[in-house]
């Protein structure tokens, strides 16, 4: 391959990479995209906020299985542009999202919950400080906290 062909190939691969990193349903990153972006921007990442959206299965049923309607509600609620948000993406299943913030997470969480409420949504969330650049451990600690909160609810909102 000559230089021009290599540059064209590189541009094509970069475009594919960008497409594969982007979660079109929620407007953030895919799990692999989140992990790649974390490695690139680790120095900015202070806290991970793990959220598990509440009642998504029931919302999907209420919309007769039209997931696009619910995804649109979620995407609109997660469209956040704040200085403390570094990036976000899905973590595990369809309704679990991780936000990476660069400051105390309390204000961000309050704004996030208000955005969700404005769209008729709610979430259970937990913020964990990222120690030693270990995103997975921080998210796992958040998952445990969220699971404990949900298990303690009398109606077990999922």
């Amino acid at each position: 391959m000559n230089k021009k062909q290599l540059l064209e190939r590189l541009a094509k691969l970069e475009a594919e990479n960008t497409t594969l990193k982007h979660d079109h349903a929620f407007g953030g990153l895919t799990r692999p995209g989140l992990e790649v972006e974390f490695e690139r921007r680790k120095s900015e990442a202070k806290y991970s906020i793990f959220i598990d959206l509440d009642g998504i299965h029931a919302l999907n049923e209420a919309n007769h299985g039209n997931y696009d309607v619910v995804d649109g509600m979620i995407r609109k609620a997660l469209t956040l542009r704040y200085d403390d948000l570094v990036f976000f993406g899905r973590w595990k299943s369809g309704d679990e999202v991780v936000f990476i913030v660069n400051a105390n997470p309390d204000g961000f969480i309050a704004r996030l919950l208000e955005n969700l409420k404005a769209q008729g949504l709610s979430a259970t969330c937990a913020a964990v400080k990222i120690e030693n650049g270990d995103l997975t451990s921080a998210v796992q600690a958040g998952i445990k906290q969220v699971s404990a909160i949900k298990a303690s609810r009398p109606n077990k909102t999922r």
Side-chain angles (χ1 to χ4, degrees):
M1 275 190 199
N2 63 35
K3 184 177 179 179
K4 181 182 176 192
Q5 290 171 318
L6 284 173
L7 291 173
E8 288 171 353
R9 178 72 178 140
L10 178 60
K12 182 179 178 185
L13 289 172
E14 285 178 341
E16 287 175 1
N17 186 43
T18 299
T19 299
L20 292 172
K21 284 174 54 179
H22 184 72
D23 175 62
H24 299 281
F26 289 7
L29 297 168
T30 60
R31 166 82 179 264
L34 182 99
E35 291 171 335
V36 166
E37 196 64 21
F38 179 79
E39 288 303 316
R40 275 189 354 98
R41 301 177 71 183
K42 195 181 286 191
S43 66
E44 298 173 68
K46 305 300 180 213
Y47 290 87
S48 74
I49 301 167
F50 176 82
I51 73 165
D52 188 355
L53 294 159
D54 300 325
I56 297 303
H57 180 72
L59 275 173
N60 281 327
E61 283 182 1
N63 285 284
H64 309 288
N66 187 348
Y67 290 30
D68 291 338
V69 170
V70 177
D71 286 351
M73 294 166 60
I74 295 167
R75 186 174 45 255
K76 190 170 183 181
L78 300 185
T79 302
L80 304 164
R81 302 287 182 251
Y82 296 106
D83 291 341
D84 50 357
L85 174 62
V86 180
F87 53 87
F88 78 94
R90 287 199 200 192
W91 188 256
K92 200 165 175 102
S93 68
D95 62 352
E96 297 170 332
V97 180
V98 170
F99 295 85
I100 304 300
V101 297
N102 62 11
N104 182 312
D106 296 339
F108 179 83
I109 290 171
R111 292 188 305 272
L112 172 63
L113 292 175
E114 281 300 314
N115 274 17
L116 289 166
K117 185 178 177 182
Q119 294 301 313
L121 302 166
S122 66
T124 306
C125 57
V128 176
K129 186 167 180 50
I130 299 169
E131 302 285 350
N132 303 315
D134 187 351
L135 176 62
T136 301
S137 292
V139 172
Q140 290 302 323
I143 290 170
K144 285 182 183 180
Q145 290 177 28
V146 165
S147 294
I149 292 166
K150 286 195 168 203
S152 71
R153 291 182 181 153
N155 63 354
K156 305 278 193 270
T157 301
R158 301 264 173 215

